[in-house]
Amino acid sequence: MTKNMEKEAALRFGDGENFAATELRLGLPGTRERETATKVLPTGSKEGGTKRTATEIESNDFDREAKTQVVGWPPIRSYRRNTFRSMKRDEEKAGTYVKVSMDGAPILRKIDLEAYKGYKELREALEDMFKCFPSGESVRVDAREYAVTYEDKDGDLMLVGDVPWEMFITSCKRLRILRGLAPST
Amino acid sequence: MMTYFPEEVVEHIFGFLTAHCDRNAASLVCRAWYHVERMSRRRVFVGNCYAVRPERVAARFPAVRGSPTSPISTSSPPTGRPRRALDRGLRLLPAAAAAGGRGGRAGGGCGGGAPLEELRMKRMVVSDECLETLARSFPNFRALVLISCEGFSTHGLAAVATHCRHLREIDLQENEIEDRGPQWLSCFPESCTSLVSLNFACLKGEINVAALERLVSRCPNLRSLRLNRAVSVEALSRILMKAPQLVDLGTGSFWVDHRSEAFHRLISAIERCKSLRSLSGFWDASPLCLPAIYPICSNLTGLNLSYAPAIQGSDLIKLIRHCWKLQRLWVLDCIGDKGLAIVASTCKELQELRVFPSDIYGAGSATVTEEGLVAVSFGCPKLHSLLYFCHQMTNAALITVANNCPNFTRFRLCILEPKKPDPLTNQPLDEGFGAIVRSSKGLRRLSLSGLLTDQVFMYIGMYAKKLEMLSIAFAGDSDKGMLYVLNGCKNLRKLEIRDCPFGDGALLENVAKYETMRSLWMSSCDVTLGGCRALAAKMPMLNVEVINERDESEESEESPSDFHKVEKMYVYRTIAGPRDDAPDFVWIL
């Protein structure tokens, strides 16, 4: 994971700066969310419980997440538990579909960010997608002509490529390819 | 007087006894009645599949065949089901087949052999081989109901579809079924027109939609159809056009673009289903699709949205406002307290409510608390069955609920955080649950949660005289708690306890009690191996099983000391002796 992130951080739109050297590694949002999502309980049936968890529960500084991970609790059937776990996984996958709009192109597209391993592939996919919509001059998604931006969770317009790929996927809500803006270096 | 009546008349009178307990009681009156009853019993319920050997059942009841309301039923213990078990229940079949043959020869004025017609199993491990044996042995087989079972695949279903030519019912509820292809639906022969109920909602894979449509077309008596997630809305519309007589429908995926033609076709198809009374499914339903069912909502008596996490908040509320005849509602806790208030004001006929947790692993944003339950108790006076997963509960709320709804038969409350006290007073919830058992004199099933002391058990022992099943977790202070229950609850059949400070003293004080019960389950309590051994020694009619699933390398000595606390213990009465299908980690004492 680390290697990939470093690699992708290096391949960004119109900018070859290696980000990894300056980045703080304290558990980035991208990785953290993945981890908590996949932390699963063993699939017990209705009543599980092997360890003496009662005493653990009494401890005050027992953090909330661990508390909810008492084996076989809450008492729901394994079928329901498993179904919801896989629904949640599907939802997380589906949750990375974002709209892509391009200046001058009347029809928007949608892409699954998780389908791409990094910025380079994303850029290639966008180029592929939008070459059918000529808007007069050069149609290539070119760093010189267009700026690829995205809207993040707060609604701010951000330049694609600044943050590590994993963080980008989780914070990107929508992509916008803007014409006539050159990215600052 | 009854001895002057010929056997045929007595048998005819017994025919009106439908409940197992009534027939059991009748058979105890005298030898003559025992004889008449056993020769004429058609259906058998074996609550615990290990309590009796199949051959013995078949020998006593040669005419057993199962029936629509109460087929041959059996289930395995709650979690003691060993992973490598043989499918015990289906060994009933060869025995029943043999008995059928014997019955014919023995005569007894009761007709010839009775081939198996209906089978209902819960929490059993069932294999494809046995489904195939079932299908081949009993070509007249009518109904298969499997609940929370596992170990079989679509191949087993194919066998049943192929060989059982007069199949009426296949009902698969929440089983883990291995998907080995969609061809099983094509295995129903063209001559099969007898299906009344088909439920494959829990199947995970694709199905052969064309085969399904043809099957539905040729079964005019089909009343209940529950599709799995793979069935699209387009297919659903076509199926509904062929089966507008449906009473119960599981919708399949139910995802559709509300601006599309398919959506309009769906609306027309649903409108024709004037007999629909119960809906479930909605696996991928988006809120915008829901208006498709508004036209029939006012006829609905049952609605299960517990597998539809995409329908939340205000959309859920809009839907429920249309369903004013609901008697049974299953939802996720994303309905919220506000949503439950709407249920309370709309669904005046509500009898059963289940609120399931939608987000088990994290702190969900929308949840339910005591407020929602209180609202429902005010609005729905007919409520008698409750399953409620919530984040908190107060004594005041429980007391109010107890006052508003004195007719609970089933009350299962699960506060998600173990040992959580009343947030208003920081007190245990003893008084709240005490109020429930005091007011609902007909309570048969109870599940407790939250912070609880021995006091709540004192109330239960004192007031819950009709209680048959009790589930306890993270509760109590001492052995006294468990003893209140064992000594006080005269009708107790099943007791499940986990993570409670009950030990050998409680276990051994009233050992005779266990013979009046179906079973006792204890896990992560203070019971020791020595205590279990003592129990086994005192009570030969009980099977005492100790389940130890820890890594075997920890148990390097042959026999751990008697002071060793057992992880899990299962005690049940049986006339079958120790079972022979227990895996290594189950010790039978």
Side-chain angles (χ1 to χ4, degrees):
Chain A
M1 180 78 123
T2 318
K3 255 198 191 145
N4 261 348
M5 283 170 58
E6 284 178 352
K7 194 165 151 215
E8 294 320 320
L11 299 165
R12 287 173 303 119
F13 287 95
D15 195 338
E17 186 182 315
N18 188 345
F19 187 77
T22 54
E23 142 191 294
L24 290 172
R25 293 220 162 267
L26 284 175
L28 297 156
T31 53
R32 169 77 68 85
E33 281 178 35
R34 257 336 108 64
E35 269 167 31
T36 50
T38 54
K39 199 180 276 185
V40 293
L41 290 176
T43 53
S45 29
K46 225 163 66 167
E47 294 91 355
T50 54
K51 306 282 185 223
R52 295 302 317 272
T53 51
T55 47
E56 287 172 347
I57 299 299
E58 281 157 31
S59 155
N60 280 335
D61 37 52
F62 205 81
D63 93 286
R64 188 177 176 6
E65 203 175 85
K67 242 186 218 170
T68 58
Q69 287 180 27
V70 173
V71 175
W73 189 265
I76 60 175
R77 283 189 186 163
S78 12
Y79 173 81
R80 179 175 288 276
R81 196 186 291 270
N82 294 342
T83 302
F84 270 80
R85 187 182 300 144
S86 57
M87 271 182 168
K88 202 171 155 94
R89 267 203 298 265
D90 289 349
E91 197 185 279
E92 276 155 10
K93 277 194 230 156
T96 48
Y97 269 92
V98 294
K99 286 185 191 171
V100 189
S101 62
M102 173 155 140
D103 275 359
I107 301 180
L108 279 63
R109 302 297 301 266
K110 229 176 183 181
I111 59 170
D112 179 7
L113 292 176
E114 286 226 331
Y116 308 106
K117 296 198 187 68
Y119 289 118
K120 179 162 177 261
E121 285 177 20
L122 174 65
R123 180 178 54 184
E124 284 164 6
L126 289 176
E127 280 178 10
D128 242 1
M129 228 182 243
F130 282 98
K131 60 180 179 248
C132 335
F133 296 104
S135 46
E137 297 154 47
S138 168
V139 304
R140 281 189 65 244
V141 178
D142 194 313
R144 294 182 296 276
E145 301 277 340
Y146 292 84
V148 183
T149 65
Y150 71 100
E151 245 178 59
D152 72 355
K153 284 181 182 157
D154 302 323
D156 296 326
L157 200 62
M158 317 283 292
L159 185 69
V160 167
D162 282 336
V163 299
W165 177 251
E166 294 300 332
M167 192 197 279
F168 167 68
I169 300 182
T170 56
S171 47
C172 171
K173 290 295 156 214
R174 191 196 157 115
L175 281 165
R176 284 186 203 281
I177 305 173
L178 303 178
R179 219 182 122 200
L181 287 177
S184 53
T185 42
Chain B
M1 279 309 134
M2 289 289 276
T3 51
Y4 294 131
F5 291 171
E7 274 188 10
E8 291 79 20
V9 175
V10 178
E11 185 183 322
H12 181 73
I13 296 174
F14 283 176
F16 293 102
L17 295 177
T18 48
H20 295 296
C21 50
D22 290 337
R23 291 202 73 115
N24 289 346
S27 69
L28 292 174
V29 169
C30 63
R31 279 193 197 283
W33 281 28
Y34 176 86
H35 176 74
V36 173
E37 196 284 316
R38 73 172 261 260
M39 294 307 279
S40 62
R41 191 183 298 215
R42 293 275 184 268
R43 47 194 108 104
V44 149
F45 173 67
V46 179
N48 179 349
C49 66
Y50 295 119
V52 60
R53 289 190 188 280
E55 300 77 21
R56 177 107 181 225
V57 175
R60 176 170 167 189
F61 301 114
V64 143
R65 69 177 72 211
S67 83
T69 50
S70 218
I72 292 186
S73 305
T74 183
S75 69
S76 76
T79 49
R81 179 183 63 206
R83 287 187 275 271
R84 299 191 296 276
L86 302 171
D87 28 2
R88 172 85 178 197
L90 278 156
R91 283 206 258 145
L92 274 172
L93 305 184
R102 263 209 312 282
R105 284 196 292 279
C110 229
L116 189 64
E117 286 183 5
E118 316 222 3
L119 189 66
R120 181 182 189 278
M121 313 241 275
K122 190 171 180 185
R123 278 190 302 263
M124 303 289 285
V125 175
V126 176
S127 71
D128 284 344
E129 288 72 41
C130 275
L131 285 176
E132 181 139 7
T133 307
L134 166 81
R136 286 186 191 279
S137 312
F138 303 108
N140 273 331
F141 189 74
R142 306 280 159 144
L144 180 68
V145 179
L146 299 175
I147 305 171
S148 293
C149 296
E150 62 178 24
F152 63 104
S153 76
T154 46
H155 280 5
L157 299 178
V160 175
T162 306
H163 299 291
C164 304
R165 312 240 136 189
H166 305 285
L167 211 49
R168 273 206 304 256
E169 181 178 350
I170 292 189
D171 187 0
L172 308 168
Q173 297 179 29
E174 300 192 327
N175 303 290
E176 297 283 356
I177 305 175
E178 194 193 332
D179 174 38
R180 284 164 71 181
Q183 55 274 29
W184 66 278
L185 267 172
S186 323
C187 293
F188 284 96
E190 287 304 312
S191 58
C192 173
T193 58
S194 48
L195 270 184
V196 171
S197 167
L198 178 61
N199 171 9
F200 58 91
C202 60
L203 271 184
K204 294 201 189 69
E206 297 297 320
I207 56 138
N208 184 336
V209 174
L212 175 63
E213 287 180 47
R214 283 196 303 274
L215 180 61
V216 169
S217 305
R218 64 179 184 271
C219 293
N221 296 321
L222 194 65
R223 290 284 170 273
S224 167
L225 178 64
R226 296 192 186 180
L227 309 169
N228 72 344
R229 201 173 177 184
V231 178
S232 68
V233 148
E234 289 85 353
L236 173 65
S237 300
R238 291 195 300 270
I239 289 169
L240 289 179
M241 293 302 274
K242 298 189 165 84
Q245 77 282 4
L246 283 178
V247 171
D248 166 58
L249 173 68
T251 66
S253 160
F254 213 77
W255 187 88
V256 66
D257 183 342
H258 66 283
R259 291 163 301 199
S260 66
E261 265 304 304
F263 183 65
H264 295 292
R265 275 196 292 275
L266 176 68
I267 296 183
S268 322
I270 290 183
E271 269 173 349
R272 297 178 70 226
C273 298
K274 306 264 186 249
S275 306
L276 263 186
R277 294 289 173 270
S278 150
L279 284 181
S280 59
F282 301 100
W283 296 95
D284 299 303
S286 83
L288 294 164
C289 315
L290 292 181
I293 62 167
Y294 287 173
I296 49 121
C297 279
S298 55
N299 296 332
L300 290 182
T301 56
L303 182 59
N304 181 354
L305 295 166
S306 67
Y307 283 100
I311 307 178
Q312 303 196 19
S314 55
D315 303 298
L316 200 42
I317 288 175
K318 261 191 258 167
L319 174 60
I320 289 186
R321 281 194 201 279
H322 286 81
C323 305
W324 52 275
K325 276 201 195 142
L326 273 189
Q327 295 173 13
R328 183 177 50 87
L329 176 63
W330 293 20
V331 283
L332 293 169
D333 60 4
C334 43
I335 189 174
D337 288 329
K338 283 213 199 84
L340 287 176
I342 302 298
V343 171
S345 59
T346 312
C347 309
K348 295 303 181 187
E349 302 296 315
L350 198 67
Q351 297 178 21
E352 176 182 328
L353 175 66
R354 295 195 191 189
V355 180
F356 293 95
S358 53
D359 193 357
I360 311 162
Y361 302 117
S365 46
T367 61
V368 295
T369 67
E370 75 277 10
E371 284 179 26
L373 183 58
V374 167
V376 171
S377 77
F378 274 113
C380 308
K382 298 188 182 176
L383 191 67
H384 67 78
S385 173
L386 180 75
L387 171 62
Y388 198 76
F389 286 84
C390 60
H391 280 244
Q392 65 180 49
M393 185 54 59
T394 65
N395 282 309
L398 283 174
I399 292 169
T400 305
V401 169
N403 287 337
N404 291 342
C405 298
N407 300 315
F408 278 115
T409 54
R410 283 185 281 264
F411 191 90
R412 291 189 283 168
L413 182 68
C414 179
I415 302 166
L416 289 167
E417 189 183 317
K419 292 200 177 184
K420 186 163 182 179
D422 177 335
L424 294 180
T425 63
N426 234 27
Q427 293 297 300
L429 292 173
D430 302 332
E431 297 307 311
F433 279 106
I436 295 284
V437 296
R438 241 194 321 269
S439 112
S440 289
K441 303 196 178 0
L443 192 66
R444 291 198 316 261
R445 183 168 182 183
L446 177 65
S447 296
L448 307 171
S449 57
L451 182 64
L452 296 164
T453 72
D454 284 346
Q455 182 73 6
V456 72
F457 299 114
M458 193 186 88
Y459 290 141
I460 292 174
M462 221 193 291
Y463 296 110
K465 292 306 181 188
K466 295 269 168 69
L467 194 65
E468 295 175 3
M469 182 165 171
L470 179 63
S471 304
I472 310 171
F474 304 103
D477 309 311
S478 73
D479 285 348
K480 279 207 294 216
M482 184 167 160
L483 287 171
Y484 284 134
V485 172
L486 290 177
N487 295 334
C489 299
K490 300 291 171 224
N491 284 302
L492 194 64
R493 294 220 290 249
K494 284 170 68 171
L495 181 57
E496 305 173 338
I497 307 175
R498 64 165 289 182
D499 291 279
C500 294
F502 305 142
D504 296 338
L507 181 69
L508 297 172
E509 165 107 358
N510 185 358
V511 293
K513 176 73 177 174
Y514 306 131
E515 272 196 336
T516 68
M517 290 167 53
R518 194 194 294 176
S519 63
L520 166 69
W521 165 273
M522 292 179 77
S523 71
S524 300
C525 296
D526 290 345
V527 170
T528 69
L529 192 53
C532 295
R533 287 195 170 126
L535 178 60
K538 268 193 192 177
M539 304 292 292
M541 292 299 273
L542 299 177
N543 273 358
V544 179
E545 298 184 5
V546 169
I547 297 158
N548 182 359
E549 283 168 295
R550 265 199 299 254
D551 180 11
E552 283 308 309
S553 62
E554 280 181 41
E555 312 283 340
S556 44
E557 284 75 52
E558 300 92 54
S559 44
S561 94
D562 273 0
F563 296 111
H564 176 91
K565 282 188 186 160
V566 304
E567 275 173 38
K568 301 179 189 179
M569 181 204 71
Y570 186 58
V571 176
Y572 56 96
R573 66 181 179 192
T574 179
I575 55 175
R579 60 178 165 135
D580 47 15
D581 62 355
D584 301 337
F585 52 82
V586 177
W587 302 345
I588 300 175
L589 301 179

